């Protein structure tokens, strides 16, 4: 673990890559800092979650809940630059339209959006919207969902191999750095905080999240022998959806 000043540089590298926020002028940008910055992804998720939940909370004082939910979803998309949503759509296009490794990778690399990708985005937004109108403790769940969902893609990086079409690629730099156990501990701290300040029963959401992550890792491995940046974005989006849907179960809203 490197010095505190170095970690600040690494954190701000993560902030500028995963969000639209800018960093102080003294921040040093490098491939090494970018590679290390994945450990702060859940911290970035915590920040996005707070902003998104704040917009929802303020919106409820002015608009109906339906409008407040849409504003909160739009805020999260804007703050992240639709980075993870793009991964979701590319991943569905690739695995939906491809039949072997190279074809899947070629489709995911294509900037054009296919029918599978369009449907994935539409369905994801519909599920988020309806789930957030249903859940209780909406503010807490929004914050937790954005934070927790950004931890589980790191498990895939930790266990699986990166595969891609190009050697010089910014996403490759961010995702090929092998996540260590120390990185995972640092990444899990904000997720742990979310769970600590939640009702004890909320810990149960870790079960479907772990199941989803291990299944995705196995699925990616069986088709393309590893993962790409789009696969990680897909994992984040599906994890976020899993959290919202999990808390729509009858015993959470009854």
């Amino acid at each position: 673990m490197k010095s505190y000043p170095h970690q600040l540089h690494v954190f701000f590298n993560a902030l500028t890559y995963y969000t639209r926020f800018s960093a102080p002028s003294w921040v040093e940008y490098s491939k090494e800092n970018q590679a290390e910055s994945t450990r702060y992804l859940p911290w970035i998720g915590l920040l996005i979650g707070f902003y998104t939940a704040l917009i929802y909370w303020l919106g409820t004082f002015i608009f109906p809940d339906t409008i407040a939910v849409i504003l909160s979803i739009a805020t999260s998309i804007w703050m992240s630059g639709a980075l993870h949503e793009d991964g979701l759509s590319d991943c569905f296009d690739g695995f939906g339209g491809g039949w072997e490794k190279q074809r899947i990778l070629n489709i995911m690399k294509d900037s054009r959006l296919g029918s599978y990708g369009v449907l994935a985005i539409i369905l994801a937004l519909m599920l988020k919207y309806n789930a957030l109108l249903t859940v209780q403790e909406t503010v807490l769940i929004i914050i937790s969902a954005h934070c927790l969902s950004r931890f589980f893609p790191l498990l895939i990086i930790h266990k699986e191999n990166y595969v891609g079409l190009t050697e010089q690629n910014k996403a490759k730099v961010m995702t090929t750095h092998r996540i260590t156990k120390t990185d995972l501990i640092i990444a899990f701290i904000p997720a742990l905080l979310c769970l600590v300040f939640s009702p004890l029963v909320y810990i149960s959401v870790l079960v479907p999240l772990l199941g989803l992550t291990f299944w995705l890792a196995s699925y990616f491995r069986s088709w393309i022998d590893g993962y790409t940046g789009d696969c990680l974005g897909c994992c984040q989006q599906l994890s976020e959806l899993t959290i919202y849907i999990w808390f729509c179960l009858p015993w959470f809203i009854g």
Side-chain angles (χ1 to χ4, degrees):
M1 192 69 178
K2 296 183 180 179
S3 64
Y4 171 74
H6 173 75
Q7 292 305 312
L8 276 179
H9 292 288
V10 173
F11 173 80
F12 281 116
N13 271 250
L15 184 71
T16 56
Y17 181 78
Y18 291 112
T19 75
R20 292 182 180 272
F21 287 114
S22 58
S25 58
W26 48 261
V27 173
E28 297 175 359
Y29 296 96
S30 66
K31 289 183 178 180
E32 292 74 18
N33 286 345
Q34 288 176 5
E36 290 183 50
S37 69
T38 50
R39 68 166 67 106
Y40 291 112
L41 184 54
W43 293 88
I44 300 301
L46 187 64
L47 178 64
I48 292 175
F50 269 118
Y51 271 90
T52 303
L54 178 63
I55 293 298
Y56 167 79
W57 181 72
L58 292 174
T60 58
F61 289 101
I62 307 171
F63 307 107
D65 279 358
T66 53
I67 303 297
V69 166
I70 292 174
L71 289 175
S72 70
I73 293 173
T75 299
S76 69
I77 293 173
W78 179 85
M79 288 184 67
S80 66
L83 180 67
H84 307 296
E85 288 79 5
D86 179 68
L88 175 73
S89 62
D90 286 344
C91 200
F92 269 70
D93 273 339
F95 288 96
W99 54 87
E100 51 87 23
K101 176 180 177 179
Q102 199 59 39
R103 178 61 177 165
I104 293 171
L105 293 176
N106 283 329
I107 293 174
M108 286 198 286
K109 185 66 176 177
D110 195 329
S111 60
R112 291 171 296 181
L113 189 59
S115 56
Y116 287 104
V118 171
L119 290 171
I121 291 294
I122 292 173
L123 290 172
L125 290 175
M126 289 175 61
L127 284 169
K128 287 182 184 180
Y129 171 76
N130 284 283
L132 286 173
L133 285 176
T134 304
V135 298
Q136 306 294 327
E137 303 291 342
T138 308
V139 169
L140 178 60
I141 289 174
I142 288 174
I143 295 172
S144 299
H146 281 284
C147 180
L148 281 170
S149 66
R150 285 166 170 81
F151 172 78
F152 289 90
L154 303 186
L155 296 179
I156 295 180
I157 300 176
H158 179 63
K159 290 293 185 182
E160 305 297 329
N161 296 315
Y162 177 87
V163 293
L165 293 176
T166 60
E167 290 300 318
Q168 299 300 322
N169 184 295
K170 186 177 181 181
K172 180 178 185 297
V173 172
M174 299 292 287
T175 57
T176 53
H177 170 71
R178 182 67 73 175
I179 297 289
T180 66
K181 291 181 180 179
T182 300
D183 291 330
L184 288 176
I185 292 172
I186 294 171
F188 192 66
I189 290 173
L192 183 61
L193 290 175
C194 289
L195 293 172
V196 165
F197 288 101
S198 302
L200 184 61
V201 70
Y202 280 24
I203 296 177
S204 64
V205 77
L206 294 178
V207 175
L209 287 173
L210 286 169
L212 172 68
T213 303
F214 292 144
W215 178 80
L216 285 174
S218 175
Y219 184 81
F220 297 149
R221 189 190 320 118
S222 66
W223 280 96
I224 60 173
D225 301 319
Y227 69 92
T228 68
D230 289 328
C231 295
L232 300 179
C234 179
C235 179
Q236 186 280 322
Q237 283 290 291
L238 293 181
S239 296
E240 185 181 337
L241 277 173
T242 297
I243 294 170
Y244 296 145
I245 294 171
W246 183 256
F247 290 116
C248 287
L249 292 173
W251 49 86
F252 289 112
I253 61 175

